[in-house]
Amino acid sequence: MTMIDDLVLVNDWHVVARSDDLVEAGVMGVRLLAEDIVLWRRGGQVMAWRDLCVHRGTRLSLGRVEVAGLACPYHGWTYDESGRCVHIPSRPRQDPPSKACAVVYRVKERY
C-alpha cells in the first residue's frame, strides 16, 4: 500500500526509468510516490514490483536475475515473472507457500 492517498496520482502512469537503462537480466531500484520499486528485465519483458522480499524484507533490487527468475540477495528466494516464489534454496524439494508472492505493478514501455 502506498503512502499517497491521492487516487489520481496512484492510478496514473508514471515514468520511472529509461528503457535503455534497464538492460537484459538487469535489476534496478527506483522510488515512486514514496514507494521503493524494483525493475528487472528478462526475455525483453520488464517487471515492476515492490522492492521487498516477502521472506526477510530485503530489497530485491540488490538481487540478481537467474534462470528461474529474480533471486533475493539474502536467502536466495527466487520469484518468477508473475511474482510467485518458485524456489527456496534451504528447502529445494519443497514447493514454496502459495502466499509467498511479490507485490506486482503493471508496466508499459513507451517511446
Side-chain angles (χ1 to χ4, degrees):
M1 183 165 214
T2 179
M3 300 292 290
I4 304 296
D5 57 4
D6 184 333
L7 292 179
V8 173
L9 286 176
V10 172
N11 292 319
D12 206 355
W13 290 101
H14 301 275
V15 176
V16 294
R18 292 174 11 140
S19 288
D20 293 345
D21 292 339
L22 186 60
V23 298
E24 182 65 24
V27 181
M28 175 188 300
V30 299
R31 189 160 177 83
L32 175 67
L33 302 176
E35 179 91 28
D36 291 318
I37 298 170
V38 60
L39 304 174
W40 63 289
R41 182 187 298 274
R42 187 163 87 169
Q45 179 182 358
V46 176
M47 280 61 69
W49 302 345
R50 181 175 290 155
D51 194 1
L52 182 74
C53 177
V54 299
H55 178 230
R56 293 285 184 201
T58 301
R59 291 183 184 273
L60 290 170
S61 59
L62 300 174
R64 65 188 176 283
V65 178
E66 297 184 343
V67 173
L70 181 60
C72 174
Y74 191 46
H75 285 126
W77 284 36
T78 305
Y79 302 84
D80 67 10
E81 291 90 346
S82 72
R84 187 174 65 86
C85 182
V86 293
H87 178 66
I88 299 174
S90 65
R91 302 186 188 278
R93 295 175 189 234
Q94 181 179 340
D95 288 336
S98 60
K99 66 181 180 179
C101 295
V103 175
V104 176
Y105 301 113
R106 293 180 293 163
V107 174
K108 279 191 183 184
E109 281 190 274
R110 289 277 173 100
Y111 316 112

